[in-house]
């Protein structure tokens, strides 16, 4: 299995390499692909040094799978060229997510929709992934009517520049800025660009992607996305209203049986999900589960996951694993 990682030198690219190695993905040849300024750079994978190559060389090498994490513009330009050459592209950017001709895949939920005809497969937004993983089985059994979500998102979601900004501010040093304001000791209710309706693009991604992944346009979703000065993972406060009645015991049973979810909910002993506990893990942590006492059939919960892993790298590698297992490549 010849695999290309496009955007290999970035934060998510590095995480993809780590996940490929950890999960022992059947790579016989690994192509590390990046922009021209990184071509020739040496990177390590499983103890071997591999030289970074450019896009054209990667296409010419004809990998079976290319995992992209290089931004929407790069994906828009290059993913179709890889696909035309016979490579199946798993893309981490927002470029293809809402394209009606492309599948938007979280393996635990809808990988079964994939076929050999799918040459560009979209990986959802990190915040959307962790939320739908936690809610999917509840939706199957209780049918969700409405979701209200507020996110508390790590600076790692923006990239290396944002991490540097936070650490520079913490150290009292000047440096390049990823955000329009200080992020250390601050909170920014602003992720991605503002849209005409007053929501940010990040908030609209969560709203639209949730419906597409779940295959249910009737679910009403509203979101507020916030950047906070942490590393390790994204957190979400989620309020969800269901059509069917339920008990808390029933909810816990469903969550405990949900693939990819770990329940961390013991408030008597102050046990609840935190980004530092999610860091480096592939599971979605769920806690603070409680009834919404202001309206019937409604629930509050707190959802945390490592945004670079399940929110990006691990989900993409799981898609690739599904393709291999089901002989779709």
């Amino acid at each position: 299995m010849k695999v290309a990682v496009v955007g290999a030198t970035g934060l998510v690219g590095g995480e993809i390499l780590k996940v490929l190695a950890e999960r022992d993905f059947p790579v016989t040849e690994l192509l590390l692909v990046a922009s021209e300024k990184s071509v020739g750079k040496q990177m390590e994978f499983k103890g071997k040094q591999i030289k970074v190559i450019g896009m054209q060389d990667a296409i010419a090498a004809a990998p079976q799978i290319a995992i992209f994490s290089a931004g929407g513009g790069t994906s828009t330009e290059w993913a179709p060229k890889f696909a035309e050459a016979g490579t199946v592209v798993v893309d981490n950017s927002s470029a293809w997510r809402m394209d009606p001709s492309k599948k938007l895949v979280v393996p635990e939920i809808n990988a079964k929709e994939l076929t050999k005809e799918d040459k560009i497969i979209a990986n959802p937004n990190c915040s959307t992934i962790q939320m739908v993983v936690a809610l999917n089985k509840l939706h199957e059994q209780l049918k969700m009517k409405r979701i209200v979500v507020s996110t508390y998102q790590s600076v790692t979601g923006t990239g290396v520049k944002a991490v540097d900004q936070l650490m520079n501010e913490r150290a009292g040093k000047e440096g390049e800025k990823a955000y329009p304001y200080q992020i250390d000791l601050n909170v920014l209710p602003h992720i991605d660009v503002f849209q005409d309706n007053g929501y940010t693009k990040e908030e609209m991604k969560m709203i639209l992607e949730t419906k597409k992944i779940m295959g249910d346009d009737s679910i009403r979703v509203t979101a507020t996305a916030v950047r906070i000065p942490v590393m390790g993972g994204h957190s979400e406060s989620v309020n969800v209203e269901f059509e069917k009645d339920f008990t808390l015991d029933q909810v816990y049973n469903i969550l405990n049986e949900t693939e990819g979810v770990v329940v961390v909910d013991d408030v008597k002993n102050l046990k609840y999900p935190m980004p530092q506990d999610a860091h480096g893990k592939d599971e979605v942590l769920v806690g603070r589960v409680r009834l919404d006492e202001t309206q019937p059939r409604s629930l509050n919960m707190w959802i945390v996951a490592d945004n670079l892993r399940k929110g990006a790298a691990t989900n993409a590698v799981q898609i690739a694993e599904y393709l291999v297992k089901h002989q779709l490549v």
Side-chain angles (χ1 to χ4, degrees):
M1 182 65 55
K2 192 184 291 188
V3 177
V5 176
V6 180
T9 56
L11 268 185
V12 175
E15 210 64 33
I16 290 167
L17 297 179
K18 199 186 295 183
V19 173
L20 286 170
E22 283 176 13
R23 296 173 76 93
D24 207 21
F25 189 84
V27 182
T28 52
E29 185 181 345
L30 183 65
L31 307 173
L32 302 183
V33 191
S35 62
E36 288 303 316
K37 66 181 181 185
S38 296
V39 170
K41 179 180 175 181
Q42 295 275 351
M43 294 182 71
E44 187 182 315
F45 180 74
K46 288 190 170 182
K48 291 181 183 173
Q49 291 294 315
I50 302 174
K51 193 177 283 188
V52 174
I53 61 174
M55 293 289 194
Q56 294 290 7
D57 287 344
I59 293 170
Q64 283 106 320
I65 295 173
I67 302 177
F68 269 62
S69 190
T74 302
S75 292
T76 301
E77 180 182 357
W78 289 98
K81 295 176 182 177
F82 276 82
E84 282 162 22
T87 300
V88 178
V89 173
V90 180
D91 181 47
N92 262 306
S93 81
S94 60
W96 306 100
R97 290 175 187 156
M98 296 315 298
D99 184 325
S101 68
K102 306 291 185 288
K103 307 279 172 59
L104 183 64
V105 175
V106 176
E108 296 91 335
I109 298 173
N110 61 346
K112 60 186 178 294
E113 293 175 10
L114 292 171
T115 70
K116 281 193 171 182
E117 281 65 55
D118 293 308
K119 294 302 181 189
I120 298 176
I121 301 161
N123 208 46
N125 180 46
C126 47
S127 305
T128 308
I129 289 173
Q130 66 186 69
M131 184 173 77
V132 297
V133 166
L135 294 179
N136 179 52
K137 290 294 180 189
L138 291 167
H139 178 53
E140 284 180 4
Q141 297 190 38
L142 303 174
K143 182 116 175 68
M144 292 188 296
K145 288 176 67 176
R146 182 171 186 255
I147 301 168
V148 181
V149 55
S150 296
T151 72
Y152 304 71
Q153 293 181 226
S154 162
V155 294
T156 56
T158 308
V160 175
K161 194 167 148 185
V163 174
D164 290 344
Q165 177 178 341
L166 173 62
M167 300 318 290
N168 284 338
E169 288 170 354
R170 197 150 286 187
K173 296 193 314 195
E174 285 300 316
E176 210 178 353
K177 305 280 190 191
Y179 303 118
Y181 300 103
Q182 176 179 316
I183 184 63
D184 190 33
L185 299 175
N186 198 18
V187 165
L188 304 180
H190 169 196
I191 299 178
D192 214 322
V193 295
F194 283 97
Q195 309 292 287
D196 290 342
N197 63 357
Y199 285 76
T200 63
K201 196 173 176 184
E202 182 82 359
E203 291 158 355
M204 292 310 300
K205 287 175 194 171
M206 294 194 74
I207 292 164
L208 298 171
E209 290 176 23
T210 298
K211 295 168 185 274
K212 184 171 178 180
I213 295 162
M214 297 293 202
D216 189 343
D217 282 336
S218 72
I219 305 168
R220 292 174 294 154
V221 186
T222 188
T224 302
V226 180
R227 188 72 67 191
I228 63 171
V230 302
M231 292 187 284
H234 290 350
S235 306
E236 296 170 348
S237 172
V238 176
N239 176 279
V240 56
E241 180 186 357
F242 297 97
E243 285 190 3
K244 297 180 182 176
D245 289 316
F246 58 85
T247 64
L248 273 184
D249 283 344
Q250 186 182 0
V251 169
Y252 280 119
N253 287 338
I254 293 169
L255 288 171
N256 281 317
E257 290 168 5
T258 300
E259 184 185 353
V261 165
V262 174
V263 176
V264 183
D265 200 354
D266 179 7
V267 292
K268 286 180 183 171
N269 292 300
L270 306 185
K271 301 288 186 189
Y272 33 71
M274 295 181 289
Q276 63 184 17
D277 301 322
H279 183 60
K281 294 189 173 72
D282 292 328
E283 295 80 17
V284 174
L285 310 182
V286 179
R288 297 296 321 278
V289 179
R290 60 209 188 277
L291 296 174
D292 178 347
E293 297 182 342
T294 67
Q295 64 173 13
R297 297 182 295 281
S298 299
L299 196 68
N300 290 304
M301 61 173 67
W302 179 250
I303 301 169
V304 180
D306 186 326
N307 53 293
L308 294 184
R309 289 188 65 102
K310 183 54 184 169
T314 303
N315 199 77
V317 173
Q318 285 175 315
I319 293 171
E321 288 173 340
Y322 185 93
L323 295 172
V324 173
K325 182 180 178 182
H326 295 271
Q327 298 179 326
L328 301 177
V329 288

